[in-house]
Amino acid sequence: MKTWKAAQLDRLKPLVFLVGLFPLGRWVWLGFNNGLSANPAEFLTRSSGTWALVLLLVTLALSPVRRLLAQPALVRWRRMLGLFSFFYVALHTLAWAWWDRSGNWLSMWQDIVQRPLIAIGLIATVILLLLTLTSTHGWQKRLGRGWGRLHQTVFLAAALSVLHFYLIRIGKNDVVEVYVYGLVLVGLLILRRWPVLNQPAK
Amino acid sequence: MFKSRSQPIQSSEITDESVWRARRRLFLQAPGALALAAGLPGLAQAVPVGQALSFNPSQRWKLDETPTSEADVTTYNNFYEFGTGKEDPSRQSGQFKTEPWTVQVDGLVHKPLTLDMDQILKLAPLEERIYRLRCVEAWSMVVPWVGYSLSALLKQASPMGSARFVRFETAAEPETMPGLRSRILDWPYVEALRLDEAMHPLTLLATGLYGKSLPVQNGAPVRLIVPWKYGFKSAKSLVRITLTDTMPESSWMKVAPHEYGFYANVNPDVPHPRWSQATERVIGSGFFATKKATLPFNGYAEDVASLYANMDLRRYY
């Protein structure tokens, strides 16, 4: 297979952007077609959380994929996918703050200290916020080698996100979906440790 | 030609608006009564879903709040026998058969009964009661139910002095209830009340909703409504009512005893482990609406708080 050039992949970036906008577009479409259920607040809170996790896993899958396909330039899509993941994390957090806690700071704080599942979600959010803020070239240069180390914490954020999801679902014993996301994450971690894939890309 | 044949309408023939409004009100309040007056047969043998019922509006149990839309009440349901999604029950209950249907009343009673739906519908006058419904998941609705106090049925069976609890068992038909394939709960679904709770006039044996017999997703053909408790206490599609002297273990107590206690009284002061119960989302309240404060005993404290005098409701949640 020919090696894709950076310029070619850059040209396809609008396509990646459309993929990132898909969940938002879907909500708008559902909103105009009476598809957000009798409880839109609950629907959008859950949906934004799910899409944040899906896009986070897609972002994490990009490195193994680019090694499997020997297409190092695919890395050029990674930041955009990561930023979209955080976009949905931010919406998920806002949905919680407004619809669940009525925009009340004290109530939010109480939820965080009283419920490990909320605190865990918040830690993941803070990590991803930090990675979003330092995603620019400027910060990449400024942090040097530390940038890579900092951005390794994305795996911690992903693990916490799956745990957050698990803690929501376990109360109703409804965890099959959580296991699917968990297995994908474990699979991605194993792939990264796989020696053949771990060699520098040609 | 037409013109010459038609007679002008005399003003004396025009129905006065106030009369028209009164008739319309009667029609809206009691469509079932009109159906019966018209001599509609069939009600005796079968109660198809959505059939008009004969009832009177309750003067005692009504609310000033606007009822939740019928569309929301019938498409946003927890009925895990038909799936865990809120829209699964309305989508996946089409095969479920509600005819014929019998409810068995047994256990510590002098007169064990097996009633068919015809007998259940005729056991006491049906009335429409508008109740608040508060789900343990922190959302709420206002629902116009049709039914009568469960006590009317229990009295028929004549409970023994030793009876202290009432156990409700609900339908479990694997062929028509796809949710039974999942092991989320132990089927059949079991709920229970203390006998005095079950005998309380507020506790409703419901056969209808919005003036018509219950849709399957709302618990057809007959269900329980205990409006001062979280929704899961109000078991749907009842098949058996058993009086006992020991506290039955409900399905949710088996799965998560720390989350779902026996009493499950609506209590803003006792949070669920994973969310606060202090507020609730009112279904249909609008996209940007925030939650509203939850009332102790779901607003029925005046009627039922005395049932729990001297009880620590933080412990007996």
Side-chain angles (χ1 to χ4, degrees):
Chain A
M1 190 159 34
K2 257 182 69 184
T3 307
W4 301 333
K5 295 203 171 61
Q8 289 175 313
L9 289 165
D10 280 352
R11 243 176 286 138
L12 289 173
K13 265 189 183 174
L15 224 66
V16 181
F17 195 81
L18 284 179
V19 170
L21 281 181
F22 170 75
L24 188 66
R26 177 174 166 267
W27 295 338
V28 172
W29 191 85
L30 288 173
F32 282 109
N33 289 281
N34 203 18
L36 295 177
S37 89
N39 192 347
E42 180 194 66
F43 181 96
L44 292 172
T45 306
R46 290 182 183 183
S47 185
S48 55
T50 305
W51 282 107
L53 184 55
V54 166
L55 282 162
L56 189 58
L57 293 175
V58 168
T59 311
L60 293 181
L62 203 66
S63 291
V65 165
R66 74 190 235 260
R67 292 204 164 117
L68 278 168
L69 302 176
Q71 299 291 353
L74 273 176
V75 75
R76 304 183 75 81
W77 291 358
R78 193 171 60 184
R79 174 166 52 190
M80 188 185 281
L81 286 167
L83 289 176
F84 265 116
S85 175
F86 181 73
F87 174 64
Y88 291 103
V89 168
L91 290 180
H92 183 60
T93 310
L94 282 174
W96 163 78
W98 180 256
W99 280 322
D100 203 54
R101 315 314 299 176
S102 303
N104 182 318
W105 291 101
L106 179 66
S107 169
M108 287 181 227
W109 176 247
Q110 284 170 340
D111 209 20
I112 292 161
V113 285
Q114 283 170 5
R115 296 185 180 84
L117 96 93
I118 302 294
I120 287 165
L122 185 75
I123 295 168
T125 303
V126 169
I127 292 173
L128 293 172
L129 172 66
L130 217 63
L131 302 190
T132 298
L133 294 175
T134 58
S135 66
T136 58
H137 285 298
W139 275 103
Q140 217 161 349
K141 273 191 205 135
R142 224 168 301 164
L143 292 170
R145 293 181 68 184
W147 188 88
R149 292 230 303 275
L150 175 66
H151 281 248
Q152 287 290 304
T153 56
V154 70
F155 287 99
L156 176 63
L160 291 174
S161 301
V162 174
L163 180 60
H164 170 76
F165 194 19
Y166 174 82
L167 290 172
I168 290 167
R169 287 294 186 83
I170 189 61
K172 287 213 170 171
N173 219 1
D174 189 14
V175 285
V176 178
E177 253 178 277
V178 183
Y179 287 155
V180 172
Y181 290 108
L183 277 174
V184 170
L185 179 61
V186 170
L188 290 173
L189 284 168
I190 289 173
L191 273 179
R192 291 178 69 85
R193 292 279 158 237
W194 208 344
V196 187
L197 289 173
N198 220 19
Q199 283 158 16
K202 281 167 273 179
Chain B
M1 262 182 74
F2 281 134
K3 244 180 191 172
S4 64
R5 277 192 200 173
S6 63
Q7 298 294 315
I9 297 170
Q10 305 291 313
S11 66
S12 61
E13 288 181 311
I14 298 171
T15 310
D16 187 78
E17 189 187 336
S18 62
V19 175
W20 174 76
R21 287 204 181 278
R23 278 188 202 154
R24 182 175 153 75
R25 200 154 49 235
L26 176 74
F27 182 76
L28 287 176
Q29 280 172 356
L34 291 183
L36 273 190
L40 278 187
L43 193 66
Q45 279 80 34
V47 192
V49 159
Q51 174 156 332
L53 292 171
S54 162
F55 61 87
N56 287 308
S58 166
Q59 294 311 307
R60 173 74 182 86
W61 311 113
K62 55 188 180 181
L63 293 173
D64 287 335
E65 294 156 47
T66 314
T68 309
S69 78
E70 188 175 354
D72 284 351
V73 173
T74 55
T75 57
Y76 193 76
N77 308 102
N78 280 323
F79 199 165
Y80 281 15
E81 283 83 340
F82 295 109
T84 52
K86 292 284 188 293
E87 287 169 1
D88 289 345
S90 56
R91 272 200 305 245
Q92 306 203 100
S93 61
Q95 302 300 309
F96 186 67
K97 288 188 173 52
T98 57
E99 319 159 49
W101 193 274
T102 57
V103 178
Q104 192 182 339
V105 186
D106 59 10
L108 299 176
V109 291
H110 292 296
K111 284 190 286 177
L113 306 167
T114 301
L115 301 167
D116 62 23
M117 276 315 290
D118 186 31
Q119 291 168 306
I120 288 172
L121 285 164
K122 285 179 175 161
L123 197 110
L126 296 178
E127 55 182 20
E128 182 178 70
R129 300 183 183 182
I130 302 173
Y131 278 172
R132 293 187 193 91
L133 184 152
R134 171 61 153 80
C135 179
V136 72
E137 298 166 342
W139 54 264
S140 68
M141 292 180 174
V142 174
V143 186
W145 301 107
V146 178
Y148 51 76
S149 292
L150 174 71
S151 61
L153 182 139
L154 293 178
K155 278 176 194 159
Q156 295 283 316
S158 175
M160 293 180 183
S162 54
R164 288 185 57 225
F165 294 93
V166 188
R167 177 185 183 275
F168 301 92
E169 190 176 310
T170 78
E173 307 282 344
E175 297 81 30
T176 54
M177 294 177 139
L180 295 185
R181 274 179 239 136
S182 82
R183 303 304 315 160
I184 286 171
L185 288 169
D186 259 353
W187 316 110
Y189 188 82
V190 169
E191 255 308 337
L193 295 171
R194 229 167 47 191
L195 184 59
D196 58 341
E197 295 176 325
M199 295 297 286
H200 193 280
L202 261 177
T203 303
L204 185 73
L205 191 73
T207 57
L209 172 77
Y210 266 98
K212 294 166 285 190
S213 57
L214 287 169
V216 175
Q217 61 270 29
N218 294 92
V222 59
R223 69 171 296 176
L224 191 67
I225 299 293
V226 194
W228 72 93
K229 292 173 181 281
Y230 295 122
F232 68 88
K233 290 297 283 186
S234 297
K236 294 181 168 115
S237 303
L238 299 175
V239 294
R240 191 175 176 194
I241 298 172
T242 309
L243 282 85
T244 73
D245 53 2
T246 47
M247 182 186 280
E249 195 179 28
S250 70
S251 293
W252 280 112
M253 285 164 76
K254 269 189 206 170
V255 170
H258 57 292
E259 298 195 359
Y260 307 104
F262 177 83
Y263 286 96
N265 289 317
V266 175
N267 191 339
D269 298 329
V270 177
H272 184 278
R274 284 173 287 131
W275 56 81
S276 162
Q277 295 290 28
T279 56
E280 64 200 39
R281 167 152 304 279
V282 180
I283 299 299
S285 61
F287 192 76
F288 294 105
T290 54
K291 291 179 165 182
K292 76 160 201 180
T294 289
L295 300 166
F297 296 107
N298 204 22
Y300 299 97
E302 219 177 284
D303 301 294
V304 300
S306 60
L307 294 174
Y308 311 98
N310 308 318
M311 273 177 75
D312 178 1
L313 294 178
R314 288 188 169 271
R315 194 165 156 222
Y316 299 101
Y317 56 87

